[in-house]
Amino acid sequence: MQITSRFTIAVHIITATDYFKDKETVTSSFLAGSVGVNPVVIRTVMSKLKDAGIIRSSRGRSGITLARELKDITFYDVYKAVDCLDETGLFHFHENPNMACPVGRNIHSAMDEKLRDIQNSMEEQMKQITLADIAGNLQEEIKKAG
């Protein structure tokens, strides 16, 4: 069980786009340098963010800009935009429990609701955290680092 790195890369892209908006032309190559990944990875994640209406991008001088205010973008928005999980959800159940075993035959139904509840709780928490929260934390960290 793991949310892919696309989530943290997307948050990095959004916060860097906001941080550098008046200082640099924010491009996929610029962001790749900040994130430390290949520009192709950045463009893939940016495409998903653009489709979700979180960023705008254009070739040339203007670079990447935010389509929404940071306070209006939640972790959940980013999580959904970059398809962090497949259709099975956060938890992937082992595929071949022994149906001849009473535990194997019933473990799935015994756990399904609990696992859905855990995922729903996580997603509800993600809806409470905005990218403005992260940008604020980032500013504090930058100030502490001097």
Side-chain angles (χ1 to χ4, degrees), residues 4-73:
T4 70
S5 63
R6 287 188 307 264
F7 175 77
T8 54
I9 289 170
V11 171
H12 191 135
I13 288 169
I14 295 164
T15 54
T17 299
D18 180 68
Y19 182 82
F20 289 107
K21 67 184 173 209
D22 297 324
K23 301 172 185 145
E24 301 280 341
T25 300
V26 181
T27 64
S28 58
S29 294
F30 177 83
L31 291 167
S34 178
V35 176
V37 298
N38 189 295
V40 172
V41 173
I42 297 297
R43 286 191 290 275
T44 300
V45 173
M46 282 176 42
S47 175
K48 292 177 179 293
L49 293 172
K50 186 176 180 180
D51 290 346
I54 295 173
I55 65 167
R56 291 187 200 99
S57 64
S58 58
R59 296 185 190 268
R61 296 176 51 122
S62 62
I64 298 152
T65 57
L66 297 179
R68 299 178 0 211
E69 298 286 324
L70 290 179
K71 68 180 179 54
D72 298 325
I73 305 168

Side-chain angles (χ1 to χ4, degrees), residues 87-105:
E87 66 281 347
T88 61
L90 188 59
F91 297 95
H92 182 74
F93 223 94
H94 51 287
E95 295 178 16
N96 298 306
N98 182 348
M99 291 298 133
C101 169
V103 174
R105 186 172 50 251

Side-chain angles (χ1 to χ4, degrees), residues 75-141:
F75 266 21
Y76 184 76
D77 296 329
V78 175
Y79 163 81
K80 292 308 267 187
V82 297
D83 302 321
C84 286
L85 300 175
D86 63 21
E87 66 281 347
T88 61
L90 188 59
F91 297 95
H92 182 74
F93 223 94
H94 51 287
E95 295 178 16
N96 298 306
N98 182 348
M99 291 298 133
C101 169
V103 174
R105 186 172 50 251
N106 294 292
I107 192 69
H108 205 303
S109 59
M111 292 180 65
D112 281 351
E113 185 177 346
K114 307 280 188 278
L115 297 177
R116 266 192 309 276
D117 288 348
I118 291 168
Q119 182 166 342
N120 290 340
S121 293
M122 180 197 76
E123 290 176 356
E124 286 304 313
Q125 183 68 31
M126 292 179 97
K127 291 174 183 177
Q128 304 306 310
I129 301 167
T130 70
L131 276 283
D133 298 326
I134 302 308
N137 293 350
L138 180 65
Q139 291 291 346
E140 290 174 21
E141 294 299 321

